[in-house]
Amino acid sequence: MNRIYMDNAATTKVTPPVLEAMLPYFTEFYGNPSSIHGFGRDARKALDRAREQVAKALGAQPQEIYFTGCGTESDNWAIRGGAYAQKPKGKHLITSAIEHHAVLHTMAQLEVEGFEVTYLPVDADGLVHPEDLEKAFRPDTTLVSIMMANNEIGTIQPIAELARIAKAHGALFHTDAVQAIGSVPIDVKALNVDMLSLSGHKFHAPKGVGALYLKKGVKINQLMHGGAQERKQRPGTENIASIVGMGVAIERAAATVDRRNAYLIPLRDRLIQGILQNIPEVRLNGHATKRLPNNANVSIRYIEGESLLLSLDLVGIAASSGSACTSGSLDPSHVLLAIGLPHEIAHGSLRFSLSEDNTMEEVEYVIAELTKIVERLRAMSPLFANA
Amino acid sequence: MMYTPEVMDHFTNPRNVGEIKDYSGTGTVGNAKCGDIMKMDIKVEKGVIVDVKFKTFGCGAAIATSSKATEMVMGKTIDEALTITNKMVMDALGGLPAVKIHCSVLAEEALHEAIKDYKRRLDAGEISD
């Protein structure tokens, strides 16, 4: 059976050019970049080059890029480090209700530690309204963190406008751009953000490597303490091979973003349109146009998400769901609840996230198989019988 | 997370799906908010369950335990059926992942509700044995 991977928001495959670039750094150029000898200098050179590649893709300066272990670490560092560095000025932080848990749970922990957090609502499409941000400011607000694109429903936020409001109030602005890299062209100077988090494995670099953009002059506290790596801001021997991979991956992602989006958007739109047309009582989640070019998220009434995923897996299709049963909790996705879906509809959500490897044939296969699966599961559902 | 082959068998080929029009007892448990609803109908003749059907809105574990439970109560007396626990259903399926154990409780509850309904209707003279 041909397997179809449509779960690229969860993680992506490492592409061959990325892997090829990485391989010599395991066995040949394995030096520690902090060492003075030739082995060390080779590794240092690779580290500098990757930093330039990441900086260029973001419109930043190389000295504004700090490598981390993952997107979660970058989010934690930006928010915790920013909140504590600004603590003498105030204890109020602002975020949105639909952030990734790396942001939401960091905020919740900061509340335990005495900070106060405002969670901005979103509209039915998942958009944060700038006037809501404006109203949330207090004299003691020091930091705002709003994601660039949502990982579940794909909605893209008006980051430049939100950052402008935050700057006008003298607060730091962080954006979690983990899902946006490779899909949305990014220029940190034009966006005027102070901090931006990213994660390599979402754009065809390996897992276990991320970065934080930290604007020159912005001071945040360290998360970890140790050696002098990353200009004394992030200790730990650098994960050179993965950093090299991430440098190549982000360079490729930035250089081909327009071509890739031109390929993906028709696939995404056919998938959404095919599902909505073939299956009754389905809704699209997230904004119709301000959405990631590879994201299709739908809620299918009267069916629970995990049984959809299992059935899709049996015909070789890998997708994802915001149902409680797939998260190990009793509540469905906080994102779907925040856009106003009732629990029972949120439980029947399904996310397909595409990559350039997907084809229109695969999209047609998914539409056809999903239609059959929904029919079978609805025939089994006591809710459908009552409809 | 992994399901056993028995769970996947009952998920892909669920036994006794549907409804019994002239049921002797029916029970619906769970709620859509939690993501699990199970409805079980039983047909009882001379104290023996001669037919049983279910409909489930829920995850793979919920569908598989519903299906297995109907298989286990078919042909049993009411008293025998009442001795069937969610643990027995789960064991018959070769076990469930820890996070899914709560899903298996619904099958036992739905069966008990259906039997309770049968007894109530019997006592009220709505049906005869």
Side-chain angles (χ1 to χ4, degrees):
Chain A
M1 182 171 59
N2 246 352
R3 294 205 302 170
I4 297 174
Y5 188 73
M6 291 196 181
D7 200 12
N8 287 279
T11 196
T12 59
K13 81 166 182 189
V14 173
T15 44
V18 171
L19 181 63
E20 272 162 40
M22 290 173 65
L23 286 176
Y25 292 90
F26 289 106
T27 53
E28 200 176 337
F29 307 117
Y30 51 83
N32 185 324
S34 299
S35 302
I36 199 155
H37 45 62
F39 292 87
R41 290 198 303 276
D42 287 342
R44 167 66 56 188
K45 218 187 281 174
L47 189 62
D48 290 345
R49 179 166 160 67
R51 201 183 307 281
E52 281 164 21
Q53 288 167 318
V54 174
K56 193 170 170 226
L58 301 177
Q61 295 299 311
Q63 65 269 25
E64 295 173 311
I65 304 300
Y66 296 83
F67 292 116
T68 64
C70 56
T72 292
E73 185 194 330
S74 300
D75 283 334
N76 270 259
W77 184 18
I79 294 165
R80 273 193 91 72
Y84 272 98
Q86 305 267 325
K87 205 177 168 193
K89 289 207 271 176
K91 60 175 181 185
H92 182 235
L93 316 169
I94 301 174
T95 190
S96 85
I98 61 165
E99 298 295 310
H100 189 275
H101 285 137
V103 169
L104 284 182
H105 290 173
T106 300
M107 291 286 183
Q109 176 57 29
L110 287 169
E111 286 182 287
V112 172
E113 295 170 25
F115 288 88
E116 290 171 19
V117 180
T118 298
Y119 298 89
L120 298 176
V122 293
D123 66 17
D125 291 326
L127 281 171
V128 173
H129 283 231
E131 51 277 23
D132 287 334
L133 174 60
E134 183 68 53
K135 275 186 284 182
F137 272 95
R138 307 191 328 203
D140 62 342
T141 305
T142 60
L143 182 144
V144 178
S145 182
I146 313 266
M147 71 199 323
M148 191 169 290
N150 185 266
N151 49 309
E152 293 186 34
I153 58 174
T155 300
I156 299 170
Q157 303 295 344
I159 292 298
E161 197 178 350
L162 298 170
R164 188 182 53 73
I165 294 167
K167 307 313 297 178
H169 287 271
L172 288 181
F173 191 92
H174 167 252
T175 188
D176 171 349
V178 165
Q179 289 291 337
I181 305 286
S183 292
V184 181
I186 293 171
D187 180 340
V188 287
K189 301 301 173 204
L191 292 172
N192 200 16
V193 297
D194 296 299
M195 298 179 276
L196 178 146
S197 294
L198 60 90
S199 173
H201 76 103
K202 305 293 190 185
F203 52 89
H204 303 288
K207 294 151 192 73
V209 65
L212 178 67
Y213 158 77
L214 182 59
K215 186 159 77 184
K216 200 169 171 232
V218 174
K219 294 272 175 279
I220 63 171
N221 287 12
Q222 284 177 243
L223 205 56
M224 294 194 290
H225 302 275
Q229 289 89 353
E230 298 298 292
R231 295 178 301 293
K232 299 187 186 168
Q233 299 305 304
R234 199 277 187 180
T237 299
E238 298 86 345
N239 180 1
I240 292 292
S242 292
I243 289 170
V244 165
M246 186 165 73
V248 172
I250 203 166
E251 188 175 60
R252 291 169 58 85
T256 57
V257 63
D258 292 335
R259 193 200 68 205
R260 194 171 42 255
N261 289 350
Y263 177 75
L264 288 173
I265 289 172
L267 259 59
R268 174 198 73 184
D269 290 348
R270 169 60 193 147
L271 183 56
I272 291 171
Q273 180 251 350
I275 292 171
L276 295 182
Q277 196 172 52
N278 272 27
I279 307 173
E281 299 201 66
V282 176
R283 57 157 283 153
L284 172 69
N285 296 319
H287 198 281
T289 53
K290 291 173 190 164
R291 75 182 299 128
L292 291 174
N294 71 339
N295 173 293
N297 187 311
V298 292
S299 280
I300 300 177
R301 285 193 81 138
Y302 316 119
I303 310 182
E304 195 278 331
E306 193 217 65
S307 46
L308 282 167
L309 293 187
L310 282 176
S311 305
L312 287 167
D313 187 47
L314 287 166
V315 292
I317 301 164
S320 157
S321 167
S323 91
C325 265
T326 58
S327 69
S329 80
L330 287 177
D331 282 321
S333 141
H334 65 282
V335 177
L336 299 175
L337 297 181
I339 61 170
L341 293 195
H343 277 70
E344 57 270 32
I345 296 179
H347 282 299
S349 84
L350 200 53
R351 178 191 71 188
F352 297 98
S353 43
L354 312 170
S355 82
E356 268 183 307
D357 284 347
N358 295 122
T359 63
M360 197 56 99
E361 288 70 42
E362 290 181 339
V363 166
E364 296 298 341
Y365 175 76
V366 169
I367 295 168
E369 290 298 323
L370 182 63
T371 305
K372 285 189 268 178
I373 287 165
V374 168
E375 229 167 84
R376 185 182 96 85
L377 290 173
R378 277 187 175 167
M380 230 189 274
S381 169
L383 297 175
F384 191 56
N386 295 340
Chain B
M1 197 193 65
M2 286 281 287
Y3 284 129
T4 64
E6 290 86 352
V7 171
M8 287 310 292
D9 175 37
H10 278 270
F11 172 72
T12 47
N13 302 297
R15 296 17 160 204
N16 308 308
V17 176
E19 286 165 309
I20 302 174
K21 279 215 164 60
D22 57 335
Y23 58 79
S24 313
T26 183
T28 301
V29 296
N31 66 68
K33 205 176 166 220
C34 298
D36 276 319
I37 296 181
M38 194 177 295
K39 176 174 177 289
M40 205 176 277
D41 297 342
I42 54 172
K43 179 82 188 156
V44 184
E45 280 171 16
K46 298 188 173 48
V48 174
I49 297 174
V50 295
D51 197 9
V52 51
K53 291 264 190 284
F54 83 92
K55 280 200 166 185
T56 292
F57 162 82
C59 63
I63 289 171
T65 49
S66 314
S67 166
K68 188 72 205 175
T70 61
E71 217 177 55
M72 288 169 76
V73 300
M74 188 78 84
K76 297 280 194 308
T77 66
I78 290 293
D79 288 342
E80 286 167 346
L82 282 170
T83 65
I84 292 170
T85 64
N86 69 300
K87 177 148 192 331
M88 289 160 71
V89 177
M90 223 162 50
D91 289 347
L93 288 168
L96 284 174
V99 295
K100 292 290 176 182
I101 291 173
H102 72 272
C103 306
S104 71
V105 178
L106 280 188
E108 180 187 324
E109 287 177 357
L111 174 66
H112 283 213
E113 280 301 311
I115 292 175
K116 208 158 86 183
D117 183 49
Y118 157 70
K119 286 183 169 170
R120 182 192 60 75
R121 285 158 52 96
L122 201 59
D123 288 347
E126 289 171 27
I127 49 170
S128 56
D129 194 10

